[in-house]
């Protein structure tokens, strides 16, 4: 899979940063070396990525990151993640106005925080997903500590919290229990050096403002300590919808390996597609499964509703899934050897779950930035069916940047972006990354979120990662 690594080079010019930035600093976008594919004579000149960066440090000295973003009408955006205060992680949401600055009418100067599990050393709490309901209320979800008073292994057990905020940033007291729905699906267990408990990744809005939560739980059985997929449906106000699955819950156990949930989408016909991956005996395989609107498995998809395929011999994780017409495009990362580095990958599946071998190179697109570890986190399909992916890419063993990848509808690198379909975004840290991605409702811009990161070897001993937002135009040459 790994051919000659691409060597990054500086972009030919930089664009000035938006005037309303909270903190100003220089940044650059990098592409590839002289090995890049040259445009043909009838192809327009490759475009660079014209972008604005917003620095949003949520705490002065401790770690804060954005993991998810969503856009609303009027081209406002909400970013969700976490901040840390006195070694206590808290869910965090920020709202940005049309011009790109924080909307100070939301929360406290544009930022709202929720601390469900209070206590020093309680660092499992974070918001991994965010949606906005039709009435403007904001819902976030993520893992939290089960018992903040527990010690030993009991202190590592986790539950799931779903939180709703008013448009002002205050907790919505009509949702769940005073704004919070807490879900305890299983008792955490130790397995080797790891501890497994309940977790939440994706949150999807259903018709009628109902909520679909994508998470995981410890497998049932005294002899089991691996994890299973857990999909739960909540009403618009945060209670279990018992008409879905069994008491609002659908679980999937693939063998006895660890099942890792990620995201979900709702097809126009109401069917639900969930993405993730499964690890068994050291091999990580890509998983998609499709449910009917009532939580039953769609037997017309894959095998009894489930696709479990080894896109690569050793590791192939599906971090996100998006619709491309009636097909499904995934993005993630993987490797074809038992050790070594991982690369960004993308693949396409037909509407019945069949792996589409006409996509990419024999069914798989691989992006290796410079022979180091590269990972993608979120994928969106543009109106012209091109594929937009964000994640992180390494230029050296100690330098990581956010990465934006643009593919043609058939999964080839889109050379009309920087000649090779790739742009690296340097936030100024040694461990920068992009995680979440949203398209503006008017489909003019994209907004990606992540963080400026530091490594343990950096001069700052407190790992003071800072949240970042980047906005760029979608007017790539066609």
């Amino acid at each position: 899979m790994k051919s000659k690594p691409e060597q990054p080079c500086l972009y030919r010019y930089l664009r000035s940063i938006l005037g309303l930035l909270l903190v100003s600093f220089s940044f650059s976008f990098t592409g590839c070396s002289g090995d890049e594919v040259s445009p043909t004579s009838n192809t327009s000149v490759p475009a660079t990525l014209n972008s604005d960066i917003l620095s949003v440090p949520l705490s002065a000295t401790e770690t804060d990151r954005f993991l998810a973003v969503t856009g609303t009408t009027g081209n406002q955006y909400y970013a969700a993640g976490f901040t840390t205060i006195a070694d206590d992680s808290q869910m965090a949401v920020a709202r940005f106005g049309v011009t790109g600055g924080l909307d100070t009418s939301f929360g406290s100067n544009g930022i709202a925080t929720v601390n469900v599990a209070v206590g020093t050393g309680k660092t499992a709490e974070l918001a991994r997903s965010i949606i906005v309901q039709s009435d403007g209320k904001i819902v976030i979800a993520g893992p939290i500590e089960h018992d903040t008073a527990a010690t030993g292994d009991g202190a590592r057990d986790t539950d799931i919290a779903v939180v709703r905020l008013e448009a002002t940033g205050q907790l919505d007291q009509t949702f769940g229990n005073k704004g919070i729905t807490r879900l305890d699906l299983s008792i955490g267990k130790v397995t080797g050096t790891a501890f497994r408990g309940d977790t939440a990744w994706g949150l999807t809005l259903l018709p009628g403002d109902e909520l679909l939560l994508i998470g995981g739980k410890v497998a049932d059985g005294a002899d089991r300590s691996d994890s299973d997929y857990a999909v739960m449906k909540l009403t618009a106000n945060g209670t279990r919808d018992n008409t879905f699955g069994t008491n609002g819950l659908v679980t999937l156990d693939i063998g006895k390996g660890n099942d890792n949930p990620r995201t979900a989408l709702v097809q126009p016909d109401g069917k639900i597609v969930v993405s993730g991956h499964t690890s068994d005996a050291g091999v990580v395989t890509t998983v998609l499964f499709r449910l009917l609107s009532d939580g039953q498995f769609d037997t017309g998809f894959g095998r009894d509703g489930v696709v479990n395929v080894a896109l690569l011999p050793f590791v192939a994780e599906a971090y996100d899934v998006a619709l491309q017409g009636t097909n499904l495009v995934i993005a993630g990362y993987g490797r074809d050897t038992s050790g070594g580095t991982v690369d960004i990958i993308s693949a396409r599946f037909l509407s019945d779950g069949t792996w589409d071998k006409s996509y990419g190179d024999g069914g798989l697109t691989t992006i290796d930035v410079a022979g180091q570890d590269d990972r993608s986190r979120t994928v969106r399909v543009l109106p012209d069916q091109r594929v937009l992916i964000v994640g992180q890419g390494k230029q050296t063993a100690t330098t990581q940047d956010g990465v934006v990848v643009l593919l043609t509808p058939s999964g080839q690198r889109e050379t009309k972006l920087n000649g090779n379909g790739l742009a690296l975004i340097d936030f100024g840290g040694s461990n920068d990354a992009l995680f979440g991605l949203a398209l503006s409702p008017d489909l003019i811009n994209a907004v990606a979120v992540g963080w400026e990161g530091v490594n343990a070897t950096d001069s700052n001993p407190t790992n003071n990662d800072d949240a970042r937002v980047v906005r760029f135009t979608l007017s790539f040459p066609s």
Side-chain angles (χ1 to χ4, degrees):
M1 179 176 72
K2 291 188 188 298
S3 57
K4 181 180 179 181
E6 299 169 12
Q7 300 302 318
C9 67
L10 290 178
Y11 259 41
R12 293 153 181 81
Y13 62 89
L14 305 177
R15 180 172 176 171
S16 61
I17 302 177
L18 189 66
L20 292 177
L21 299 189
L22 299 182
V23 176
S24 296
F25 58 97
S26 62
F27 66 102
S28 63
F29 301 112
T30 60
C32 67
S33 70
D35 295 326
E36 68 184 39
V37 178
S38 300
T40 59
S41 58
N42 61 352
T43 303
S44 57
V45 175
T48 52
L49 196 67
N50 292 326
S51 309
D52 305 306
I53 295 178
L54 180 64
S55 171
V56 193
L58 305 178
S59 64
T61 60
E62 297 181 79
T63 298
D64 47 269
R65 296 180 174 184
F66 283 145
L67 303 173
V69 61
T70 189
T72 66
T73 54
N75 289 328
Q76 286 185 321
Y77 299 92
Y78 289 94
F82 68 95
T83 185
T84 313
I85 300 174
D87 200 30
D88 181 11
S89 293
Q90 306 177 19
M91 294 184 177
V93 179
R95 184 165 72 196
F96 306 95
V98 197
T99 55
L102 280 169
D103 180 352
T104 56
S105 68
F106 179 78
S108 175
N109 295 318
I111 300 167
T113 59
V114 179
N115 196 2
V116 181
V118 180
T120 301
K122 301 304 175 184
T123 57
E125 182 173 343
L126 51 87
R128 282 202 183 107
S129 51
I130 183 167
I131 59 94
V132 178
Q133 294 176 308
S134 62
D135 58 1
K137 294 182 178 181
I138 307 104
V139 185
I140 56 177
I144 56 171
E145 281 84 2
H146 172 77
D147 181 1
T148 57
T151 58
D153 288 335
R156 302 166 68 186
D157 192 14
T158 52
D159 293 340
I160 298 169
V162 185
V163 177
R164 187 163 77 182
L165 304 174
E166 300 277 4
T168 59
Q170 305 303 309
L171 275 174
D172 179 5
Q173 301 296 314
T174 67
F175 183 87
N177 181 10
K178 297 181 179 180
I180 301 169
T181 293
R182 190 164 182 158
L183 303 169
D184 183 8
L185 304 181
S186 60
I187 298 174
K189 292 184 179 180
V190 177
T191 171
T193 59
F195 188 92
R196 307 194 191 284
D198 300 335
T199 191
W201 279 85
L203 186 63
T204 302
L205 190 63
L206 299 172
D209 280 336
E210 293 183 316
L211 305 167
L212 189 75
L213 180 70
I214 311 303
K217 61 180 287 294
V218 178
D220 295 331
D223 62 335
R224 301 285 296 275
S225 58
D226 56 300
S227 55
D228 289 346
Y229 294 99
V231 180
M232 179 165 287
K233 184 179 178 183
L234 304 178
T235 67
N237 288 324
T239 61
R240 286 198 190 203
D241 181 350
N242 292 328
T243 66
F244 182 82
T246 302
N247 297 322
L249 177 66
V250 174
T251 60
L252 174 62
D253 180 11
I254 298 180
K256 290 193 175 183
N258 286 303
D259 302 324
N260 297 278
R262 287 301 180 258
T263 64
L265 60 81
V266 181
Q267 298 182 169
D269 60 5
K271 294 179 180 180
I272 299 159
V273 180
V274 179
S275 70
H277 49 276
T278 290
S279 176
D280 191 11
V283 176
V284 180
T285 54
T286 295
V287 173
L288 296 175
F289 59 95
R290 190 162 73 192
L291 305 174
L292 304 177
S293 59
D294 63 357
Q296 302 303 308
F297 283 87
D298 179 6
T299 56
F301 184 80
R303 182 177 180 180
D304 298 325
V306 180
V307 171
N308 180 20
V309 59
L311 298 179
L312 288 168
F314 286 93
V315 175
E317 299 191 2
Y319 243 81
D320 196 18
V321 60
L323 271 176
Q324 187 190 54
T326 59
N327 298 325
L328 300 161
V329 174
I330 65 101
Y333 57 87
R335 63 172 182 259
D336 60 3
T337 58
S338 60
T341 60
V342 292
D343 298 329
I344 292 170
I345 61 171
S346 179
R348 184 167 67 193
F349 295 82
L350 304 179
S351 59
D352 64 356
T354 302
W355 180 10
D356 183 358
K357 298 297 184 67
S358 70
Y359 184 87
D361 182 10
L364 191 67
T365 299
T366 302
I367 305 292
D368 180 12
V369 174
Q372 303 292 330
D373 285 316
D374 312 307
R375 294 176 171 87
S376 65
R377 305 297 189 178
T378 307
V379 59
R380 295 289 181 264
V381 174
L382 303 181
D384 62 8
Q385 302 305 299
R386 285 187 286 185
V387 177
L388 186 65
I389 297 170
V390 300
Q392 57 213 60
K394 279 192 170 184
Q395 299 185 59
T396 70
T398 58
T399 304
Q400 175 179 283
D401 293 328
V403 68
V404 177
V405 173
L406 183 64
L407 305 177
T408 68
S410 62
Q412 304 300 318
R413 291 184 185 223
E414 177 54 274
T415 58
K416 294 166 187 176
L417 173 63
N418 197 40
N420 73 333
L422 174 69
L424 293 175
I425 301 179
D426 181 10
F427 292 136
S430 57
N431 195 34
D432 303 339
L434 290 174
F435 215 96
L437 173 67
L439 307 183
S440 64
D442 59 13
L443 300 177
I444 293 176
N445 296 305
V447 171
V449 298
W451 59 89
E452 176 191 350
V454 300
N455 289 321
T457 56
D458 292 348
S459 58
N460 188 334
T462 60
N463 191 30
N464 183 23
D465 294 354
D466 284 329
R468 291 289 183 268
V469 179
V470 58
R471 182 176 65 181
F472 53 90
T473 178
L474 292 174
S475 58
F476 302 113
S478 59

